[in-house]
């Protein structure tokens, strides 16, 4: 079993690789090789039983994708993308990377002639606008940002390439992943980790929305578990629509802060500054939040039990040492 993780330098890609190395098997087969690919060469996950490689890959360049996806590739995780606020600011880059990059990967997978499994990470940003609540697996995709539109196009491509028998595709609309380790990125949702991560590390953070703001969350640890389960779902169980919501849970910002306080005490919350940022609020307010991920739950994916768990996972897995 040879696995390629495109976007393997990111938080989720690195954690996914580490968990696959620890498991040593996927889809009932022993893993021989994991290749981590990204625009900059990713860090290699230590391993004694599985060969782990790292390569550079620009998904907007078909030749780069062709060199990255070998003929013996069995499973492709397509995690790479430029994130929401970046895609909104740079229209051309968003479509070149998020849309054409996805098409390049799918075309290379098609050219293999082996119908590899392709796991595509989409986003809840595909929903929005004038569609009624609640959002179900059959709700019209109606994105209100360029990033959401690019992900919606990717979903349609994954479903169509699967229908034609070119790939065995499955796509999962990720909730906002929190608490993410590392530095803030250009995602509009980046503050949903930074308002927790930075205070937990004794640093000040800015919250650009009010405490009543509702959103849909999942921890990195459970996201990785779901991505592995997602690759293992039998093709016949996926049905005609290959893309679905990944389970998450809805919480207000005040719930996140309360969870942090319950786990880590009152001091971190005092480091949050509440400063409105209208452009960020405009983007995130266009996302829809009353989500009912019935299909993925039936297929064995799951959400976190509480946001206290999200805080604990960050402290256990990612908080830098003294």
């Amino acid at each position: 079993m040879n696995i390629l993780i495109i976007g393997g330098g990111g938080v989720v890609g690195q954690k996914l690789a580490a968990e696959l190395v620890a498991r040593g098997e996927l889809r009932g087969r022993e893993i021989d090789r994991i290749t981590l690919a990204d625009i900059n060469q990713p860090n290699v996950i230590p391993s004694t039983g599985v060969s782990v490689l790292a390569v550079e890959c620009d998904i907007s360049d078909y030749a780069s994708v062709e060199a990255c996806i070998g003929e013996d590739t069995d499973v492709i995780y397509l995690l790479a993308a430029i994130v929401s606020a970046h895609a909104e600011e740079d229209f051309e880059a968003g479509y070149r990377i998020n849309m054409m990059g996805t098409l390049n990967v799918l075309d290379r997978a098609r050219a293999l002639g082996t119908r590899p499994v392709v796991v595509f990470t989409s986003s809840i940003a595909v929903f929005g606008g004038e569609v009624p609540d609640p959002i179900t697996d059959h709700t019209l995709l109606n994105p209100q940002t360029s990033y959401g539109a690019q992900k919606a196009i990717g979903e349609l491509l994954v479903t169509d390439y699967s229908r034609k028998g070119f790939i065995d595709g499955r796509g999962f609309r990720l909730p906002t992943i929190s608490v993410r380790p590392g530095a803030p990125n250009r995602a509009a949702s980046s503050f949903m980790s930074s308002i927790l991560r930075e205070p937990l590390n004794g640093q000040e953070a800015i919250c650009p929305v009010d405490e009543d703001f509702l959103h849909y969350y999942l921890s990195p640890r459970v996201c990785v578990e779901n991505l592995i389960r997602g690759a293992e779902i039998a093709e016949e169980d996926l049905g005609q629509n290959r893309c679905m919501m990944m389970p998450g849970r809805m919480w207000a910002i005040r719930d996140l802060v309360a969870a942090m306080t319950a786990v880590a005490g009152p001091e971190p919350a005092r480091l949050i500054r509440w400063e409105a940022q209208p452009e960020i609020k405009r983007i995130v307010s266009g996302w829809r939040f009353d989500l009912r991920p019935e299909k993925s739950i039936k297929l064995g994916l799951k959400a976190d039990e509480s946001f206290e768990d999200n805080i604990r996972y960050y402290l256990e897995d990612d908080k830098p040492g003294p």
Side-chain angles (χ1 to χ4, degrees), residues 33-160:
R33 185 180 73 237
I34 298 174
T35 302
L36 299 169
D38 217 316
I39 190 68
N40 298 309
Q41 186 162 309
N43 293 327
V44 174
I45 302 298
S47 172
T48 56
V50 177
S51 174
V52 181
L53 308 175
V55 299
E56 294 184 7
C57 180
D58 177 359
I59 61 172
S60 69
D61 177 6
Y62 183 79
S64 180
V65 171
E66 186 177 33
C68 176
I69 303 177
E71 294 183 357
D72 60 350
T73 303
D74 299 296
V75 176
I76 300 168
Y77 280 98
L78 178 49
L79 313 181
I82 63 169
V83 291
S84 51
H86 188 181
E88 193 70 7
E89 293 166 7
D90 192 336
F91 184 84
E92 290 80 8
Y95 275 91
R96 185 179 71 252
I97 295 168
N98 293 346
M99 184 183 75
M100 292 306 302
T102 298
L103 184 60
N104 285 337
V105 171
L106 296 180
D107 274 342
R108 174 54 179 162
R110 173 190 177 190
L112 298 180
T114 57
R115 297 192 70 247
V117 171
V118 177
V119 181
F120 173 66
T121 51
S122 184
S123 168
I124 59 174
V126 300
F127 297 119
E130 296 171 354
V131 295
D133 286 328
I135 303 295
T136 73
D137 289 298
H138 303 290
T139 295
L140 172 73
L141 305 186
N142 193 22
Q144 299 301 300
T145 62
S146 294
Y147 174 74
Q150 293 147 16
K151 285 298 186 178
I153 292 167
E155 288 192 21
L156 294 174
L157 290 170
V158 167
T159 294
D160 196 42

Side-chain angles (χ1 to χ4, degrees), residues 3-316:
I3 301 169
L4 172 65
I5 303 175
I6 302 177
V11 169
V12 174
Q14 289 276 296
K15 287 180 174 291
L16 174 61
E19 183 62 23
L20 288 169
V21 164
R23 294 186 181 216
E25 62 89 23
L26 184 70
R27 295 175 60 85
R29 294 172 54 190
E30 183 178 343
I31 299 172
D32 300 303
R33 185 180 73 237
I34 298 174
T35 302
L36 299 169
D38 217 316
I39 190 68
N40 298 309
Q41 186 162 309
N43 293 327
V44 174
I45 302 298
S47 172
T48 56
V50 177
S51 174
V52 181
L53 308 175
V55 299
E56 294 184 7
C57 180
D58 177 359
I59 61 172
S60 69
D61 177 6
Y62 183 79
S64 180
V65 171
E66 186 177 33
C68 176
I69 303 177
E71 294 183 357
D72 60 350
T73 303
D74 299 296
V75 176
I76 300 168
Y77 280 98
L78 178 49
L79 313 181
I82 63 169
V83 291
S84 51
H86 188 181
E88 193 70 7
E89 293 166 7
D90 192 336
F91 184 84
E92 290 80 8
Y95 275 91
R96 185 179 71 252
I97 295 168
N98 293 346
M99 184 183 75
M100 292 306 302
T102 298
L103 184 60
N104 285 337
V105 171
L106 296 180
D107 274 342
R108 174 54 179 162
R110 173 190 177 190
L112 298 180
T114 57
R115 297 192 70 247
V117 171
V118 177
V119 181
F120 173 66
T121 51
S122 184
S123 168
I124 59 174
V126 300
F127 297 119
E130 296 171 354
V131 295
D133 286 328
I135 303 295
T136 73
D137 289 298
H138 303 290
T139 295
L140 172 73
L141 305 186
N142 193 22
Q144 299 301 300
T145 62
S146 294
Y147 174 74
Q150 293 147 16
K151 285 298 186 178
I153 292 167
E155 288 192 21
L156 294 174
L157 290 170
V158 167
T159 294
D160 196 42
Y161 274 58
S162 298
R163 181 187 64 84
K164 294 289 287 184
F166 303 144
I167 64 170
D168 177 0
R170 53 284 308 276
F172 300 98
R173 300 170 193 129
L174 268 57
T176 288
I177 305 303
S178 180
V179 179
R180 282 178 175 265
N185 61 23
R186 295 178 71 179
S189 60
S190 182
F191 74 90
M192 299 176 197
S193 283
S194 65
I195 62 169
L196 307 165
R197 179 185 60 238
E198 271 69 284
L200 286 168
N201 288 290
Q203 301 167 10
E204 188 176 81
I206 295 173
C207 183
V209 298
D210 62 45
E211 64 177 10
D212 294 327
F213 181 79
L214 287 167
H215 199 61
Y216 191 65
Y217 295 94
L218 185 68
S219 68
R221 185 189 291 188
V222 176
C223 179
V224 165
E225 293 173 4
N226 285 339
L227 288 173
I228 292 172
R229 170 59 187 153
E232 295 183 325
I233 297 169
E235 184 174 13
E236 57 269 22
D237 292 337
L238 290 167
Q240 292 178 308
N241 188 348
R242 293 301 189 100
C243 298
M244 67 199 78
M245 289 179 276
M246 185 177 284
R249 293 197 186 277
M250 185 87 66
W251 284 296
I253 294 293
R254 69 160 66 85
D255 300 323
L256 275 58
V257 175
M260 178 172 67
T261 299
V263 174
E267 292 302 320
R270 297 189 179 112
L271 294 171
I272 300 173
R273 282 175 33 212
W274 303 83
E275 295 182 4
Q277 294 180 4
E279 181 58 23
I280 293 295
K281 188 170 184 178
R282 183 190 67 79
I283 292 174
V284 299
S285 295
W287 301 342
R288 298 297 292 273
F289 309 128
D290 187 4
L291 305 174
R292 309 288 175 88
E294 296 176 1
K295 182 172 181 175
S296 60
I297 290 173
K298 289 179 181 177
L299 291 171
L301 278 65
K302 63 180 184 178
D304 299 289
E305 291 298 323
S306 71
F307 204 86
E308 284 86 349
D309 286 341
N310 298 52
I311 300 294
R312 292 187 190 98
Y313 296 157
Y314 172 75
L315 295 175
E316 292 169 5

